[in-house]
Amino acid sequence: MDDISANAADIPLPPSLASRREQIFPTLATTEINRLRRFGTVHVWQPGEIIFDPSSPGAGMFVLLQGRILTTRKNGLGIEIPVVESGPGNFTGEVGQLSGRPALAYGRALGVVEALVIDPPSLRAVVVAEAELGERIMRALILRRMGLIETGGGGPLLIGPPGTAGMVRLQGFLSRNGHPHLVLDPALDSVAEDVMKLHQPHPNELPLVVCPDGTVLKCPTERELAHRLGLYIELNAEDVYDVAIVGAGPAGLAAAVYAASEGLSVLVLDTHSFGGQAGASSRIENYLGFPTGISGQALAGRAYVQAQKFGAKMVVPVKAMALDCSGFPYALQLDCGVRISAKTVIIATGARYRRPAIPELEKYEGRGVYYWVSPIEAALCRQEEVVLVGGGNSAGQAIVFLASHAAHVHHLIRGPDLTKSMSKYLIDRIGSLTNVTLYPESEIVSIEGCEEGVGGVQWHNRKDGSKQTKSLQRIFLFVGADPNTDWLENCGVKVNDKGFVCTGSDLPSIDFERTAHSQNDYRPLSLETSIRGVFAIGDVRASSTKRVAAAVGEGASVVVQVHARLAAGKAIPA
């Protein structure tokens, strides 16, 4: 194996990380290793033995005491490619090891290897208990994941024509979950071409997905892919959590970080990815502490790692189908068939994208119609004309981002101007863009199809009735969102006439009277619903401020109220 070895000093890094090599591949001093010994156990491997691989649950971090480990990954044809060779004082792993995710590569002993194995719970203890040393380790783990994301190293290969609905769907899922992957076009890449010849997929079986363990999937669902990559954690119906958080947007992630850091057992569930709608924002410029702005994905990614650092269990993708408040602890029925239990529940499901009344709209979703703009969608419309509908801040951020890629952005809004719905800094910025045209009091009336998906669009002016038709392939819809609360039917959680969850003073006095007898004069806390111990935060809450910073603030505040209900003990009436 020596002929494919690669020392850390020789391995190429993305330009953005090249100057941080020492932080990515640090060498621990003997005194530092001795401080780590109480967190792990020493194991020995013989020459050629596999130490870790993508087909097994993550064993944690390996600190090399003696010998060398060669880390490799496989390409689409099963050929091993060197990643890095580690020696005494080096350690293996990236952020996935905090939660026991499978390794993204293979590790093989070069000679006799002796290493200190620090399992995931102990690794989380290290980064909390050992302040300075834990910070160095955490930084290295995060930077390694960043490098893998930028290069696609260690993740699955997506093979097929770029821009197709299946490709965009899987790219979006992996990107928004911060998982490295690489897209290969068989028309341009010889390895991808050989894989296509080997498996001979039908058009509806594309893209092919070559997983790190060599398994090839044909156009899998997000859950099938998550299972194969170890992103999806199997849940035990016997476990009872202190708090179950439904929704991993900014509010849910903030609640997870604060609750887990204070020692509560935390389960976080989301149907698609962490970050919610905010995770799809290309740049948030009015979030405190980031004067130059930060992408929603970057902000959510940091919170996601932070929650794992403190031991929160994150499960994606899984959907909550129903909440049962008839007994204690409460029960959540999930679409995977598992019924999990929790002493308290935080509803942070946010809102789902609203679909305007355009004929056959669903037919084009993912095939030219999109409800967010990430670098994936932006790359598809390079030097093309596009239409974007919507007048809120999310629409404004998307326009600014799209304008740097598209030839022209046709911006449709229902109102006479943007002043009532968009922040001034975004209005001013959009006004300075020469390739953006605003069409007030306008809406799409029809979409013209083609073999690939969208082929054109027609809109009309609601004021004068005039119509325009454009031949284009991309339509972006930012027309608001509806509360994601259908799953709360029949559980007793009160929602208002628009479907948003009522909390605290939003609950009318009649609800207090109805619950007072059965719940010992129950009066809800400010973020508590009509059911004791069930809370709502973020966009799904009736009187919330629909801003990322406000959602994060509610996520932090709700943990204090969770503690209060947990301290009170059993909350459900007989």
Side-chain angles (χ1 to χ4, degrees):
M1 296 297 296
D2 291 339
D3 61 328
I4 63 168
S5 62
N7 291 314
D10 301 324
I11 193 167
L13 293 173
S16 62
L17 299 176
S19 64
R20 307 181 73 175
R21 185 179 298 275
E22 292 302 317
Q23 294 179 328
I24 299 172
F25 301 112
T27 300
L28 302 180
T30 302
T31 54
E32 292 174 321
I33 293 174
N34 288 337
R35 285 159 56 189
L36 293 175
R37 287 182 180 272
R38 66 188 177 98
F39 295 96
T41 56
V42 176
H43 292 256
V44 176
W45 292 265
Q46 297 305 310
E49 276 194 82
I50 296 294
I51 298 174
F52 53 83
D53 67 82
S55 64
S56 306
M61 185 175 80
F62 296 77
V63 182
L64 272 290
L65 306 176
Q66 176 186 320
R68 306 188 73 80
I69 293 177
L70 176 63
T71 301
T72 63
R73 62 180 177 85
K74 291 184 178 180
N75 68 5
L77 299 175
I79 299 171
E80 285 193 71
I81 300 172
V83 177
V84 65
E85 184 180 314
S86 307
N90 299 144
F91 57 87
T92 68
E94 45 81 47
V95 291
Q97 275 57 67
L98 287 169
S99 54
R101 299 291 199 272
L104 297 178
Y106 295 81
R108 183 180 285 104
L110 298 178
V112 176
V113 167
E114 182 180 0
L116 180 67
V117 181
I118 302 176
D119 65 19
S122 301
L123 180 56
R124 295 194 295 268
V126 167
V127 298
V128 172
E130 291 284 344
E132 185 274 333
L133 179 55
E135 181 182 345
R136 285 180 63 202
I137 292 171
M138 192 72 177
R139 182 183 294 113
L141 299 181
I142 292 172
L143 290 174
R144 290 175 187 180
R145 173 56 72 98
M146 289 173 59
L148 291 172
I149 290 173
E150 287 195 39
T151 63
L157 304 178
L158 307 185
I159 297 176
T164 59
M167 182 68 81
V168 172
R169 173 177 59 84
L170 294 180
Q171 276 185 272
F173 174 73
L174 293 169
S175 295
R176 294 184 66 179
N177 281 293
H179 200 282
H181 62 281
L182 195 61
V183 175
L184 299 180
D185 185 348
L188 302 174
D189 186 273
S190 59
V191 171
E193 182 182 14
D194 290 342
V195 174
M196 291 282 283
K197 289 178 180 177
L198 181 63
H199 294 278
Q200 299 183 341
H202 298 295
N204 64 346
E205 294 178 324
L206 292 174
L208 294 178
V209 180
V210 183
C211 300
D213 64 359
T215 303
V216 177
L217 306 176
K218 295 181 177 180
C219 197
T221 65
E222 287 92 330
R223 179 165 296 171
E224 288 171 336
L225 182 56
H227 268 287
R228 177 56 62 177
L229 298 178
L231 292 174
Y232 184 85
I233 298 175
E234 296 293 343
L235 294 168
N236 186 349
E238 301 301 317
D239 293 337
V240 178
Y241 298 90
D242 290 325
V243 56
I245 302 171
V246 186
L253 287 173
V257 169
Y258 283 94
S261 69
E262 294 176 15
L264 300 181
S265 59
V266 179
L267 175 66
V268 185
L269 309 168
D270 200 279
T271 58
H272 186 69
S273 62
F274 61 82
Q277 291 190 62
S281 296
S282 57
R283 183 158 296 274
I284 302 170
E285 295 192 61
N286 57 354
Y287 190 82
L288 185 68
F290 294 93
T292 60
I294 184 172
S295 73
Q297 183 61 43
L299 184 66
R302 295 181 185 193
Y304 177 70
V305 172
Q306 204 171 8
Q308 290 182 88
K309 167 184 173 180
F310 292 118
K313 183 178 288 187
M314 321 284 284
V315 184
V316 175
V318 66
K319 183 178 182 180
M321 302 299 290
L323 173 62
D324 184 354
C325 300
S326 61
F328 187 81
Y330 300 116
L332 279 163
Q333 183 64 49
L334 309 181
D335 65 346
C336 60
V338 176
R339 186 178 173 91
I340 64 103
S341 301
K343 299 173 185 176
T344 61
V345 175
I346 297 176
I347 302 166
T349 44
R352 54 177 175 262
Y353 301 106
R354 187 174 297 155
R355 291 180 169 90
I358 301 173
E360 298 187 302
L361 178 63
E362 292 187 17
K363 173 182 174 181
Y364 299 105
E365 290 176 342
R367 302 175 61 239
V369 171
Y370 310 96
Y371 296 90
W372 58 82
V373 179
S374 74
I376 297 169
E377 290 77 28
L380 294 176
C381 57
R382 192 177 304 277
Q383 299 307 311
E384 293 182 3
E385 293 191 37
V386 302
V387 166
L388 186 143
V389 183
N393 276 1
S394 294
Q397 291 160 356
I399 290 168
V400 171
F401 184 51
L402 276 175
S404 64
H405 295 76
H408 201 93
V409 180
H410 300 278
H411 181 199
L412 278 58
I413 59 173
R414 288 176 58 88
D417 56 49
L418 294 167
T419 55
K420 290 184 178 181
S421 57
M422 189 180 291
S423 296
K424 187 176 185 301
Y425 81 93
L426 283 171
I427 296 175
D428 292 343
R429 185 165 300 169
I430 291 170
S432 69
L433 297 172
T434 58
N435 63 336
V436 177
T437 302
L438 176 65
Y439 300 84
E441 299 185 271
S442 298
E443 60 186 2
I444 293 175
V445 292
S446 66
I447 297 173
E448 298 175 9
C450 66
E451 185 177 348
E452 292 77 20
V454 172
V457 62
Q458 183 180 84
W459 67 84
H460 79 152
N461 183 287
R462 298 166 58 239
K463 188 173 182 179
D464 61 23
S466 61
K467 292 184 178 181
Q468 291 198 46
T469 301
K470 285 283 184 181
S471 295
L472 46 78
Q473 295 180 294
R474 316 289 172 190
I475 301 170
F476 297 90
L477 300 176
F478 289 79
V479 293
D482 297 313
N484 192 6
T485 53
D486 292 349
W487 61 284
L488 295 173
E489 291 182 5
N490 305 317
C491 71
V493 171
K494 172 88 174 169
V495 298
N496 66 12
D497 57 350
K498 294 182 179 179
F500 291 93
V501 179
C502 298
T503 58
S505 59
D506 291 333
L507 291 163
S509 58
I510 188 172
D511 289 296
F512 296 160
E513 294 168 4
R514 188 180 68 238
T515 59
H517 176 71
S518 61
Q519 295 191 327
N520 301 319
D521 297 322
Y522 167 57
R523 293 294 184 273
L525 300 172
S526 61
L527 297 173
E528 199 168 23
T529 71
S530 52
I531 299 294
R532 188 193 299 264
V534 178
F535 304 86
I537 56 175
D539 287 1
V540 76
R541 194 172 71 84
S543 59
S544 66
T545 303
K546 310 307 187 211
R547 290 287 186 271
V548 173
V552 170
E554 290 186 7
S557 298
V558 74
V559 176
V560 176
Q561 300 181 26
V562 167
H563 277 298
R565 287 308 181 207
L566 289 173
K570 184 175 180 179
I572 304 301

